[in-house]
Amino acid sequence: MKTYPVYLNGELTITEKTFEVSNPAKGEVFARISQVDREMVAQAMQNAHAAFRLWRNVPGKKRGELLRQLANEVHRRRDELARLITLENGKPLSQSEGEVTMTVDHLTWFAEEARRGYGRLVPNQVEGKRHLVVKTPIGVVGAISPWNFPLVLAVRKIAPALAAGCTVILKPASKTPLCAAVFAECVDAVKLPKGVFQLVTGSASEIGKEFLKNPLCRKITFTGSTEVGKKLIEGAAKQVKPLSLELGGHAPVLVFEDAELEQAVEGTILAKFRNTGQSCIAANRIYVQRPIYESFLKQLVEKARALKVGDGIDPRSQIGALIDEEAMAKAAEHVEDALRGGARLLCGGQRLPGPGYFFEPTVLADAPNGALCMQEETFAPIAPVCTFDTEAEAIERANNSPFGLSAYAFTRDLSRMFRLVENLEAGIIGINDGLPTATQAPFGGVKQSGWGRELGIEGMDGFLETKHISIGVS
Ligand code: NAP
């Protein structure tokens, strides 16, 4: 069985201690990865700090060239990476390939952005002074990423941080650390200066503590659950350490009676079932205007039933395995709870016999508002649907959540689109679009879905300090 390395100060390192990584489609261990202890993280921090002194002074254009080479290297190893994502995460191979493609696109975008850390000259307000605004890299960044998009969500942090002139230590999710190890091999192959990017794995709380407590770590960027995000906020308070937080979501889908029905159904299927429902921007609750409710349900059920469930490595699979037994139990609980509350089961609803963690694509009609699936993140292929009557009611129900990452609406009414855009409390809104992520546009949430934005021209902001330089002139 292969053991994957961590990456410390320019060395791909196999450590004494290792841990197992399982394939959720088989429920079996298939690889191991090296594991660091707290002292090694502290040493990595020293190395990253030393590397920062040099990296911050490398011209943006040169940093960009290295990022472009890294994009090429990831592209060269795309098939291996996609396969590895499917093996450790369980998602269908075509979706893993899409994840690698998007990773390359992110690296390419930030390769270009690296030379655009613009400041500005502020017109002077009084005689004898000039004002400059200058952007400088924040320093060593501790990056923590989740398992659901194990490669692209890590790179969504690494690429802008490196472009900005920061150095990065990545701690990937323990369930899916292998593609990060291959990414580290790509970094090694393009000879990024040592210490500029490092990979650590192991105890989340120990690594998290070092990121929080070590004053050399100047910024933490985190993607994961709101629960862990809140712990980081508490820990960061002691040093007033800046945080970027990409946290949980609970996306509403609003389908209005004027929607193009087929487009609405297709968009909902994509928003709900992509990544086997394990996406932070996954549709979690679906509200349909009463006159089209039954016809929408009919088409949704037809399409959900047609989705092929199976091992993601089989190219015919459209719904892969859930990540683990806990995810299966939560899915079953959400279905049972909704049915107890009066929902109607239109398709699915069951776990499939093992090995592996497979759950049938499920559609629930008349989902009661108080059901768990209407209140908290489900992270499974379960689509609860209910009715609404007016636009005002739809907006109120959509906003009635502590989360605000993404929202979806299907309508052909242009005025309504603008009212929705202005009134929906979400950082990302898909209008007649079930997949609203784009490298060139900002990604992030409001309310308890997080702080800050990744991607787009906003993507580097979280890794740059803004300085005002006031210059006396005669
Ligand atoms: P998680 O349990 O919060 O874990 C995320 C990462 O945090 C993992 O690397 C984990 O390490 C680490 N971690 C756990 N406890 C920690 C601690 N005390 N200190 C520091 N790090 C700690 O979340 P998940 O289950 O992997 O991911 C699913 C969640 O992420 C969902 O809520 C989803 O909505 C959210 N998400 C948000 C976005 C977004 O862009 N807003 C994108 C994707 C996912 P271990 O794996 O070692 O425990």
Side-chain angles (χ1 to χ4, degrees), residues 144-145 147 153 171 173-174 222-225 246-248 280 377 443:
I144 304 174
S145 57
W147 51 263
L153 294 184
K171 184 247 169 277
S174 298
F222 171 78
T223 300
S225 61
E246 295 286 339
L247 307 178
C280 53
E377 209 175 20
F443 187 100

Side-chain angles (χ1 to χ4, degrees), residues 140-445:
V140 178
V141 172
I144 304 174
S145 57
W147 51 263
N148 62 337
F149 290 88
L151 182 64
V152 78
L153 294 184
V155 169
R156 210 168 271 187
K157 303 176 177 314
I158 299 161
L162 297 184
C166 297
T167 54
V168 180
I169 302 175
L170 171 70
K171 184 247 169 277
S174 298
K175 289 171 192 143
T176 57
L178 304 183
C179 55
V182 173
F183 178 79
E185 289 173 4
C186 294
V187 170
D188 194 59
V190 302
K191 301 198 173 14
L192 241 66
K194 69 175 184 177
V196 165
F197 170 77
Q198 296 176 89
L199 173 70
V200 297
T201 57
S203 159
S205 61
E206 285 301 296
I207 297 170
K209 265 187 219 146
E210 190 61 33
F211 284 3
L212 287 167
K213 293 195 172 161
N214 192 323
L216 295 179
C217 178
R218 291 297 169 80
K219 160 102 196 189
I220 297 176
T221 170
F222 171 78
T223 300
S225 61
T226 297
E227 193 190 337
V228 174
K230 285 179 184 174
K231 284 188 197 163
L232 293 174
I233 292 171
E234 274 179 42
K238 298 207 176 65
Q239 286 181 19
V240 196
K241 193 166 286 194
L243 296 174
S244 293
L245 301 170
E246 295 286 339
L247 307 178
H250 197 255
V253 179
L254 310 180
V255 184
F256 290 89
E257 60 180 324
D258 62 31
E260 218 277 78
L261 194 59
E262 209 179 307
Q263 183 185 50
V265 173
E266 285 288 353
T268 305
I269 288 278
L270 187 58
K272 176 66 254 181
F273 294 106
R274 185 177 69 105
N275 220 45
T276 314
Q278 302 176 115
S279 155
C280 53
I281 58 168
N284 216 107
R285 46 204 169 104
I286 301 155
Y287 304 96
V288 183
Q289 209 159 12
R290 200 175 299 274
I292 57 161
Y293 185 57
E294 290 302 335
S295 40
F296 176 88
L297 279 174
K298 186 166 175 284
Q299 288 194 28
L300 189 73
V301 170
E302 260 169 38
K303 291 210 184 298
R305 273 208 183 110
L307 291 170
K308 179 159 170 34
V309 184
D311 187 337
I313 232 55
D314 179 341
R316 291 166 303 176
S317 298
Q318 294 164 297
I319 300 282
L322 290 178
I323 191 72
D324 58 15
E325 184 53 45
E326 206 183 316
M328 290 286 272
K330 186 175 186 187
E333 186 196 4
H334 275 209
V335 172
E336 283 157 24
D337 169 76
L339 295 178
R340 271 198 304 275
R344 282 184 290 141
L345 182 65
L346 299 189
C347 70
Q350 298 295 325
R351 60 184 297 162
L352 294 167
Y357 310 116
F358 295 97
F359 203 90
E360 291 177 315
T362 300
V363 178
L364 296 162
D366 309 343
N369 198 35
L372 288 175
C373 58
M374 300 299 276
Q375 301 295 330
E376 55 175 70
E377 209 175 20
T378 304
F379 247 51
I382 298 167
V385 193
C386 64
T387 55
F388 70 87
D389 289 301
T390 66
E391 182 183 307
E393 178 199 346
I395 292 172
E396 196 192 321
R397 289 173 74 182
N399 288 344
N400 188 14
S401 164
F403 300 105
L405 185 56
S406 61
Y408 301 86
F410 293 89
T411 176
R412 281 184 286 197
D413 180 332
L414 184 64
S415 302
R416 191 200 312 276
M417 286 183 202
F418 279 98
R419 290 194 296 273
L420 292 171
V421 166
E422 285 154 20
N423 288 293
L424 284 174
E425 294 170 355
I428 304 150
I429 302 178
I431 305 273
N432 300 327
D433 183 6
L435 183 51
T437 312
T439 303
Q440 64 276 18
F443 187 100

